[in-house]
Amino acid sequence: MFPIRIEIIPTEGIVEQVQALVPKTTTLSVTCLPHHGIERTMRTAVELSDAGYTVVPHLAARSLRSRAELTEIVRVCDAAGIREVFVIGGDRKEPAGVYDSALPVLEDIAQYSGGMMRVGVAGYPEGHPLVSPVDLLDGLLAKQHLAMHVVTQMCFSAGKIHDFAALLRREGVHLPLWAGVAGSVPRTKLVALAGQIGVGSSLKFLSRKGPLARKLLSGDRYSPDSLIAGLESQPGNIAGIHLYSFNSLDSMPGNSFPAGPDQASTSALQAALIRGAARDN
């Protein structure tokens, strides 16, 4: 079984929901949405870290207002015992400050933390609507000496993820690869949650992703079981599963997770996150 991390959205009440349903042995990734801002991500991450969870806040480069703000985030993480962050370019049309891509954020984090902060970066098995494949690959090559792993965008094809892993190795990117996977959620709940968190436009993006994705948007429930089985067929390619949860933690049968770091049960998780591709070059 792959190790699994769960991505949550820093909405109202999520800390209490996590504490009620998720064991403290589970690693949580806290996303950063443009209309929420980094402040809400950091506040939620610190609260969960204080509650005993291992937490990985997301930092969107184009949402950072200044280098001083990044320095303060590194200080807050250190004080809260947060030892890892996930850095993307972010999908703001215009940068809020001096950072317009992930690489300079990684460079400054390494400087401000003395190289002690672990950093994950994004990968795109199915490409990116705004960045060419060559630029995406060059970006990973430039960032890999500052990063500890790659987390993929949500993908519904084990073949595409395996092909992406092979491409990275062939081109000299040797970072461990975490596969971005969605669980299941009813179509009506999917649409409602997507609108609530401001990613309704991603439904159109998802609907173009093939038969599995179209099934998710039909009246049926999509199950990740076949995708996980496909990933397990070549386990050496994948370091773990990054599960996009849509905060549907109470949908899990029995609300149960096995003990151990990053060891949420794949088959038990009933969640989904619809997420547009974040600009990251």
Side-chain angles (χ1 to χ4, degrees):
M1 178 183 292
F2 288 120
I4 294 181
R5 295 180 171 192
I6 300 177
E7 179 170 310
I8 61 170
I9 305 159
T11 52
E12 187 71 27
I14 188 58
V15 172
E16 293 77 12
Q17 186 181 359
V18 167
Q19 289 179 298
L21 298 172
V22 181
K24 291 184 171 63
T25 52
T26 306
T27 295
L28 301 169
S29 186
V30 185
T31 194
C32 180
L33 298 174
H35 65 291
H36 285 166
I38 288 177
E39 295 84 356
R40 184 183 293 195
T41 296
M42 290 306 305
R43 182 169 63 251
T44 301
V46 169
E47 288 181 24
L48 287 169
S49 182
D50 288 346
Y53 292 91
T54 299
V55 184
V56 182
H58 293 205
L59 304 181
R62 277 180 284 273
S63 292
L64 289 164
R65 292 184 293 267
S66 65
R67 287 186 171 86
E69 182 180 25
L70 180 59
T71 304
E72 180 60 21
I73 287 171
V74 171
R75 289 197 190 102
V76 168
C77 286
D78 183 63
I82 295 171
R83 303 293 180 239
E84 181 182 338
V85 295
F86 179 68
V87 178
I88 59 172
D91 54 8
R92 284 180 64 110
K93 292 183 178 180
E94 297 295 331
V98 297
Y99 299 109
D100 63 357
S101 65
L103 179 58
V105 177
L106 267 67
E107 292 171 338
D108 284 353
I109 287 174
Q111 178 183 351
Y112 299 155
S113 70
M116 300 301 291
M117 179 69 74
R118 300 188 299 272
V119 181
V121 294
Y124 300 91
E126 297 181 89
H128 192 292
L130 299 174
V131 185
S132 74
V134 171
D135 286 343
L136 288 172
L137 180 59
D138 285 347
L140 284 176
L141 287 167
K143 288 181 282 193
Q144 72 169 332
H145 70 290
L146 297 167
M148 65 173 295
H149 60 245
V150 176
V151 178
T152 78
Q153 69 183 142
M154 189 170 61
C155 185
F156 291 86
S157 167
K160 289 182 183 297
I161 295 173
H162 286 309
D163 288 346
F164 184 62
L167 170 68
L168 296 187
R169 288 197 304 270
R170 185 170 66 248
E171 297 298 331
V173 178
H174 301 295
L175 296 170
L177 184 69
W178 286 68
V181 172
S184 65
V185 68
R187 179 186 61 83
T188 53
K189 186 170 186 179
L190 171 64
V191 173
L193 287 173
Q196 177 184 335
I197 67 170
V199 294
S201 62
S202 297
L203 295 175
K204 293 181 180 178
F205 173 82
L206 180 63
S207 68
R208 297 194 295 270
K209 291 299 175 183
L212 283 178
R214 286 194 292 272
K215 184 177 180 181
L216 176 59
L217 296 180
S218 74
D220 297 330
R221 297 179 69 99
Y222 163 74
S223 169
D225 291 350
S226 61
L227 173 57
I228 298 297
L231 294 174
E232 289 175 339
S233 69
Q234 301 179 50
N237 285 341
I238 308 301
I241 300 299
H242 182 97
L243 191 95
Y244 296 104
S245 81
F246 232 158
N247 290 1
S248 296
L249 304 174
D250 58 350
S251 298
M252 291 175 273
N255 298 325
S256 61
F257 299 79
D262 294 335
Q263 294 293 325
S265 168
T266 303
S267 60
L269 295 170
Q270 298 294 310
L273 176 64
I274 300 308
R275 178 178 180 178
R279 293 174 58 201
D280 185 39
N281 60 26

